[in-house]
Amino acid sequence: MKPQRIVLWITAFFLVGIFVGLSFRESISGSKGSSMDQFFQYLQDEYVDTLDIAKLQQQAMDYILSGLDPHSVLIPVEDEQQIAERMQGSFSGVGVEFTIYEDTLVFVYIMEGGPAESYGLKAGDRIYAIDGDTIVGAGLTNEFVTQKIKGPVNTYVTFDIIRDGLSLVAAVQRDFIPLNSVSGAQMYGSMGYVKVDRFAESTTEELQEALAKLGDQGMRGLILDLRDNPGGYLHEAVEIADLFLGGNKTIVSTKYKDGRTIVAESKRGDKYEDLPLHIILNDQSASASEVLSGALQDHDRATIYGTTSFGKGLVQEDKQLPDGSTMRLTVAYYYTPSGRSIQKPYAGADLPGEMEGLVFQSDSGKILSSVGGIEPDIELSNDTVGSYYWGFSFGTIDDFAFQWVDARRQKIGTWEYEDFFNMKVVDDELISEFLKYGGYGLYVEDLPMDQLTELRLMMKAAIAKNIWGFDAYVSMLLNEDPVLKQVIKLSSGTLQ
């Protein structure tokens, strides 16, 4: 019997055990247990080949959860730490961004104020050993390097370095490294802008810091970018909504199977309650992003731009299992203040019938969509702007940009990021060199203007990334973002 067929049989028995509740009382060991226990006991004791029973059990549980709804999932032990770090907002490391170039680990960006900077590490350093273990070779991966660099706070990691032909050794003490969830804070005229990438434990605090800085620069309105934000902690979305709402306003209702309803409400006293607010969404804005947007839209507190959001209005809770894995189980629905569900329809859901025929309105009487997701007040799309052809070649662009930067580190060490926006770094000669490097068989004059414009932007962003890190890359692309440009124009026109 093939392993795939074993999983199908496991699933069938598991479903029978859960949903029908059959009691299979005969046991080869003489003891009584569930059908599932005895099923796996038979497999372990009598199946002709050796089986990994724990793995088969995990596959069966994963299969069942995946059939319940789009978001219930089993999280393996090995994925727990990475997920936890992203949501906690920090990890223990040394504060470097790196690349693997020609089988060699190279540091491309050293975080300001981080352990690596304080111990003298520099962008361009080649690392040939970590903690005495040689790491140069064809099998070197990002995952392996990350595992070697991370470790408990206050412990040391030792790097053997080649810099300008010299061999150096640096022992760096690990510390907490922030994983920021708020980025891109800047001013566009009198309009402030900030992007929230996810809702982690530190998101509200990060956003308040960004708003304070923008306020010092004369912010009279705010653009809150929630595009590609998959969600995160509900309480963080609630706290952020509270920043912009007056007191005693419903933010979100959570309704459970047993009839319980938990309502989160705003409090008075936040200084941003009257700040003109504009939110950008796309089809990957989900969950907590939609809770925040829905609350502010229902109370006529923000204008929503972009495209209809993802439509995830299901609440998950983490249930720890004995082997250390986590069952992330859907236990409730989210509802916006007007009573509409964010969740888009899916097979087996009770929700579509519940919402059928209902009409939802904002505080001012504006009719609101209730088909799943948050529908924008003003629809804006990337579809007609730019070709995005070269986005699929970014790996090659990034490799080329790394080599270009690496050959000029002494010169570019004097560059300031703020001046880089206006510098003409990417000319036709550089584009021609790249086209030869990538083996595209093209000349500059062969490229349509939209592709040439896009390639110049992607190349400049990749150069910024290899000098100032990933945030610089994002900021460079953002500066030419067609949707953001439209939102800036439309929102600035609303300021008095």
Side-chain angles (χ1 to χ4, degrees):
M1 186 180 291
K2 301 293 186 184
Q4 293 89 339
R5 296 181 63 190
I6 294 172
V7 174
L8 291 175
W9 278 105
I10 292 169
T11 302
F13 274 90
F14 210 171
L15 288 170
V16 169
I18 291 176
F19 297 111
V20 181
L22 291 177
S23 177
F24 183 64
R25 300 189 180 280
E26 182 183 3
S27 171
I28 60 173
S29 63
S31 62
K32 294 183 179 181
S34 70
S35 298
M36 197 80 270
D37 291 337
Q38 295 172 16
F39 175 78
F40 281 110
Q41 192 70 52
Y42 276 128
L43 288 178
Q44 181 171 306
D45 293 346
E46 299 192 24
Y47 183 70
V48 65
D49 292 324
T50 302
L51 298 174
D52 185 338
I53 296 298
K55 183 177 180 181
L56 291 175
Q57 289 173 331
Q58 187 175 63
Q59 289 173 336
M61 290 186 289
D62 196 39
Y63 182 88
I64 289 173
L65 289 173
S66 67
L68 298 179
D69 65 74
H71 308 295
S72 291
V73 65
L74 187 69
I75 302 173
V77 177
E78 56 269 24
D79 295 341
E80 282 282 345
Q81 182 177 355
Q82 185 177 8
I83 293 172
E85 287 173 350
R86 281 182 55 79
M87 299 315 296
Q88 289 166 0
S90 67
F91 66 95
S92 177
V94 299
V96 296
E97 291 182 18
F98 63 84
T99 190
I100 296 172
Y101 176 67
E102 294 184 347
D103 302 333
T104 301
L105 172 63
V106 184
F107 290 156
V108 296
Y109 174 69
I110 309 298
M111 187 186 79
E112 292 184 16
E117 183 186 52
S118 64
Y119 280 80
L121 272 63
K122 294 184 178 181
D125 283 348
R126 265 70 173 165
I127 311 301
Y128 64 88
I130 299 178
D131 288 335
D133 298 328
T134 301
I135 61 169
V136 177
L140 191 61
T141 64
N142 290 336
E143 292 77 14
F144 176 79
V145 172
T146 300
Q147 185 180 28
K148 295 286 285 184
I149 292 177
K150 287 182 178 180
V153 171
N154 295 327
T155 61
Y156 284 83
V157 57
T158 301
F159 300 103
D160 289 86
I161 303 167
I162 296 291
R163 180 189 300 165
D164 299 328
L166 299 176
S167 295
L168 306 169
V169 177
V172 182
Q173 189 177 27
R174 298 180 177 99
D175 202 349
F176 286 116
I177 306 300
L179 279 174
N180 293 329
S181 57
V182 174
S183 62
Q186 54 191 297
M187 293 292 295
Y188 294 95
S190 298
M191 189 65 65
Y193 169 90
V194 67
K195 180 169 176 56
V196 178
D197 297 313
R198 64 190 181 284
F199 292 90
E201 284 287 1
S202 58
T203 301
T204 303
E205 182 181 351
E206 290 179 50
L207 181 61
Q208 288 176 310
E209 290 175 1
L211 293 178
K213 291 178 181 178
L214 294 173
D216 291 342
Q217 298 174 54
M219 175 179 64
R220 295 172 53 208
L222 176 67
I223 298 171
L224 187 63
D225 193 343
L226 299 179
R227 287 176 294 178
D228 299 313
N229 183 323
Y233 289 129
L234 174 65
H235 66 267
E236 291 291 319
V238 168
E239 287 185 31
I240 291 172
D242 194 7
L243 293 176
F244 302 108
L245 290 171
N248 303 317
K249 292 185 180 294
T250 297
I251 296 174
V252 62
S253 299
T254 307
K255 298 184 180 181
Y256 293 82
K257 182 178 181 177
D258 61 7
R260 285 179 299 139
T261 298
I262 298 175
V263 179
E265 293 187 345
S266 61
K267 306 176 185 65
R268 294 187 182 278
D270 291 302
K271 63 180 179 181
Y272 302 112
E273 292 176 3
D274 297 319
L275 181 72
L277 186 59
H278 307 265
I279 296 176
I280 314 178
L281 300 176
N282 66 6
D283 60 359
Q284 295 304 304
S285 305
S287 193
S289 296
E290 297 171 294
V291 169
L292 173 59
S293 304
L296 296 173
Q297 187 181 50
D298 282 15
H299 291 304
D300 298 301
R301 186 60 191 82
T303 302
I304 312 294
Y305 303 81
T307 57
T308 301
S309 62
F310 184 85
K312 180 184 180 298
L314 300 176
V315 184
Q316 283 74 48
E317 288 184 0
D318 288 350
K319 311 293 184 180
Q320 293 296 318
L321 300 178
D323 67 349
S325 60
T326 300
M327 178 172 63
R328 184 159 289 172
L329 186 67
T330 296
V331 296
Y333 284 110
Y334 289 134
Y335 293 83
T336 70
S338 66
R340 55 184 172 147
S341 171
I342 297 164
Q343 181 62 41
K344 61 186 176 184
Y346 64 91
D350 298 331
L351 196 59
E354 182 183 319
M355 293 287 106
E356 189 174 350
L358 297 179
V359 176
F360 300 94
Q361 296 180 327
S362 71
D363 291 355
S364 68
K366 179 175 63 179
I367 302 299
L368 302 168
S369 170
S370 60
V371 296
I374 301 299
E375 191 173 285
D377 301 304
I378 300 175
E379 187 165 353
L380 299 173
S381 171
N382 279 337
D383 293 345
T384 59
V385 188
S387 69
Y388 295 92
Y389 174 83
W390 292 104
F392 295 103
S393 296
F394 184 71
T396 307
I397 295 172
D398 193 38
D399 287 344
F400 179 83
F402 167 77
Q403 293 183 48
W404 189 90
V405 169
D406 202 47
R408 297 164 175 80
R409 291 200 181 275
Q410 188 170 1
K411 176 184 177 181
I412 65 179
T414 62
W415 290 1
E416 295 292 337
Y417 176 66
E418 290 73 15
D419 299 328
F420 185 71
F421 281 98
N422 299 318
M423 294 172 63
K424 188 176 181 181
V425 176
V426 181
D427 54 20
D428 285 351
E429 182 179 354
L430 186 63
I431 295 296
S432 180
E433 288 179 26
F434 167 73
L435 294 173
K436 291 177 183 177
Y437 172 84
Y440 292 101
L442 296 170
Y443 297 95
V444 174
E445 52 268 26
D446 295 330
L447 299 179
M449 184 53 67
D450 62 340
Q451 288 192 24
L452 182 58
T453 300
E454 181 188 355
L455 179 54
R456 285 171 176 157
L457 174 61
M458 295 290 288
M459 183 63 68
K460 191 169 184 179
I463 290 172
K465 171 181 175 289
N466 280 280
I467 301 174
W468 295 288
F470 186 75
D471 286 348
Y473 159 78
V474 173
S475 182
M476 186 61 59
L477 293 181
L478 198 62
N479 206 46
E480 297 299 325
D481 185 318
V483 170
L484 178 57
K485 284 184 175 182
Q486 293 178 75
V487 174
I488 292 169
K489 181 178 179 180
L490 291 168
S491 61
S492 296
T494 65
L495 294 177
Q496 300 297 319

